[in-house]
């Protein structure tokens, strides 16, 4: 399959950067990236909730072509959910992308596929783009259960999602054993799983939707490995963790990942 989809390079800052740090990083990105960079790749940054308003104000005021993203969301629109943030709140901040089902949310906070599905539907309802994370543990990979795990997540997470809505979802394949460990799936392994993800979309929703959906790779992505990963036909971008915290390194990834 020839990749004709515009890549999406997303920076997940996790629990890093105060609102002042976030402003400084986005300012530096704005100075470093060129109009040609944005023509070749879409870019999003996902700061902590405390920095969203500061980054949104700067992006809007300076017309910076970077998509504002959130790292998580609660599916309810309002209610007695202490400490949570609703999709309505994010939409009012002009958030364009929302990460749902990240392995850290699943593994550390016990989020089930049913809950991830609720989040996915809520993000779509409020006309934002979900970045749905799927991936296997090292034990699952070594036992040959990688595709079974990922397909099982997709089956559960896409319940109730129409073909039109499915075409708007970004799917990030992130092998859990590669997140923050310095270990990266080989380009061939990453491509095999991203192709498996796209094949599942084709079986469920048809070839047209499968050709539209963007599939990112995530897991210790750096300037050193992004070009090889992006050379693969079914990898349409990257969900970048630690390397996105530094504006220069992240800009390198954007440029090399086109």
């Amino acid at each position: 399959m020839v990749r004709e989809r515009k890549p999406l390079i997303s920076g997940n800052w996790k629990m890093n950067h105060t609102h002042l740090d976030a402003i400084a990083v986005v300012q530096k990105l704005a100075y470093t990236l060129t109009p040609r960079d944005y023509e070749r790749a879409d870019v999003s940054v996902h700061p902590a909730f405390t920095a969203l308003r500061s980054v949104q104000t700067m992006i809007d005021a300076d017309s910076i072509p970077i998509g504002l993203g959130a790292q998580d969301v609660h599916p309810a629109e309002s209610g007695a959910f202490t400490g949570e943030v609703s999709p309505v709140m994010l939409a009012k901040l002009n958030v364009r992308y929302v990460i749902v089902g990240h392995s850290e949310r699943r593994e550390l906070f016990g989020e089930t596929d049913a809950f991830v599905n609720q989040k996915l539907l809520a993000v779509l309802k409020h006309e934002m783009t979900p970045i749905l994370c799927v991936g296997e543990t090292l034990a699952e990979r070594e036992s040959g259960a990688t595709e079974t795990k990922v397909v099982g997540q997709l089956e559960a997470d896409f319940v109730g999602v129409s073909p039109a809505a499915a075409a708007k979802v970004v799917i990030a394949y992130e092998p859990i054993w590669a997140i923050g460990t310095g270990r990266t799936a080989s380009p061939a392994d990453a491509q095999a799983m991203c192709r498996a993800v796209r094949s599942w979309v084709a079986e469920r929703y048809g070839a047209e939707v499968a050709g539209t959906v963007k599939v990112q790779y995530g897991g210790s992505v750096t300037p050193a490995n992004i070009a090889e990963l992006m050379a693969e036909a079914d990898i349409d971008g990257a969900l970048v963790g630690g390397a996105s915290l530094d504006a220069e390194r992240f800009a390198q990834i954007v440029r090399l990942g086109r």
Side-chain angles (χ1 to χ4, degrees):
M1 183 183 296
V2 177
R3 176 162 55 85
E4 297 178 351
R5 298 161 294 276
K6 187 177 182 182
L8 171 63
I9 309 295
S10 304
N12 178 15
W13 293 352
K14 306 188 180 184
M15 198 175 72
N16 296 288
H17 288 336
T18 66
H19 75 287
L20 295 174
D21 297 328
I23 289 170
V25 171
V26 174
Q27 283 177 330
K28 193 164 186 178
L29 275 175
Y31 293 136
T32 305
L33 295 174
T34 67
R36 187 157 179 78
D37 294 326
Y38 297 119
E39 287 174 8
R40 295 183 175 181
D42 290 325
V43 180
S44 69
V45 293
H46 300 249
F49 285 137
T50 54
L52 280 176
R53 176 60 171 164
S54 298
V55 173
Q56 178 244 330
T57 299
M58 185 173 61
I59 286 175
D60 289 353
D62 296 342
S63 299
I64 300 171
I66 291 175
L68 181 61
Q71 298 178 20
D72 192 23
V73 67
H74 191 281
E77 297 189 1
S78 63
F81 302 103
T82 300
E84 295 295 323
V85 174
S86 79
V88 176
M89 296 170 181
L90 297 181
K92 289 294 184 182
L93 285 174
N94 295 333
V95 166
R96 290 175 54 192
Y97 301 95
V98 183
I99 298 171
V100 295
H102 192 282
S103 65
E104 290 160 2
R105 300 300 313 175
R106 297 179 190 259
E107 299 289 313
L108 300 178
F109 300 99
E111 291 191 1
T112 64
D113 280 308
F115 195 46
V116 172
N117 171 248
Q118 291 178 38
K119 292 184 177 189
L120 185 72
L121 293 171
V123 173
L124 289 167
K125 177 182 177 181
H126 290 278
E127 299 183 339
M128 296 176 288
T129 298
I131 298 178
L132 171 67
C133 298
V134 295
E136 82 284 4
T137 65
L138 182 59
E140 288 164 339
R141 169 165 283 270
E142 290 179 341
S143 68
T146 296
E147 190 166 339
T148 299
K149 169 68 174 293
V150 170
V151 168
Q153 288 178 315
L154 292 170
E155 291 280 0
D157 297 342
F158 273 85
V159 170
V161 178
S162 69
K168 301 174 184 177
V169 178
V170 176
I171 302 172
Y173 167 61
E174 288 200 311
I176 296 170
W177 51 269
I179 298 173
T181 64
R183 298 179 61 178
T184 309
S186 70
D189 285 342
Q191 161 61 16
M193 281 310 303
C194 289
R195 180 179 289 276
V197 167
R198 198 178 305 283
S199 295
W200 178 86
V201 175
E203 291 173 8
R204 175 76 175 268
Y205 293 106
E208 184 175 352
V209 173
T212 301
V213 165
K214 293 182 182 180
V215 183
Q216 294 178 316
Y217 170 77
S220 298
V221 175
T222 69
N225 60 31
I226 184 64
E228 282 188 305
L229 290 165
M230 288 298 299
E232 300 293 342
D234 288 288
I235 300 178
D236 305 316
L239 184 55
V240 187
S244 70
L245 296 173
D246 178 83
E248 290 185 3
R249 291 189 78 201
F250 190 48
Q252 279 185 290
I253 289 171
V254 172
R255 287 178 172 157
L256 293 170
R258 298 178 302 197

